[in-house]
Amino acid sequence: MIGSSKHNFLKIYDMNIEKVRELNTDVPSIQGRKWRPHQVCSDNEGNILVLDSGGRKVIVFNADGEYSNQFDPFSTKTGQSSQIRVNSDGNVLLLDTVTAKCLIF
């Protein structure tokens, strides 16, 4: 998966570097600005989770690459994430660069 924070796109490639699809980038703005993909991972159901470059939002696309929803894991506290992963149990893991903790959702 390749994302460009400069051009606001996200493309998914297979292991042979063949483009599988480009995600629908028609995503609602985040606090009045366009989203910028930073880190990307997928869950056990094929959903694609994208960490916004501001590190404050997670944008979720379904397995077909269509926008599904977004959430702010730091809505009640200060923090910023630099890494996103999904473990084998389907939990979303975020590395909080402010507190140096791993958050599990």
Side-chain angles (χ1 to χ4, degrees), residues 10-97:
L10 192 63
K11 296 179 182 182
I12 301 173
Y13 294 85
D14 65 16
M15 295 300 288
N16 297 316
I17 313 175
E18 298 289 328
K19 185 168 100 170
V20 176
R21 69 178 162 259
E22 185 167 342
L23 295 182
N24 178 353
T25 57
D26 185 21
V27 175
S29 65
I30 300 169
Q31 298 171 344
R33 67 172 178 80
K34 287 192 144 229
W35 73 290
R36 296 185 183 275
H38 174 66
Q39 288 279 316
V40 181
C41 68
S42 60
D43 67 14
N44 301 338
E45 298 169 4
N47 295 312
I48 301 160
L49 292 87
V50 182
L51 181 63
D52 179 61
S53 65
R56 304 237 2 128
K57 295 282 186 181
V58 175
I59 298 69
V60 182
F61 295 87
N62 64 23
D64 294 324
E66 296 297 319
Y67 172 79
S68 175
N69 63 14
Q70 59 182 286
F71 65 93
D72 181 356
F74 303 105
S75 61
T76 60
K77 54 191 159 201
T78 302
Q80 182 169 344
S81 184
S82 64
Q83 299 287 321
I84 185 170
R85 300 287 184 269
V86 176
N87 67 13
S88 59
D89 293 329
N91 298 314
V92 177
L93 309 173
L94 293 171
L95 175 61
D96 184 342
T97 57

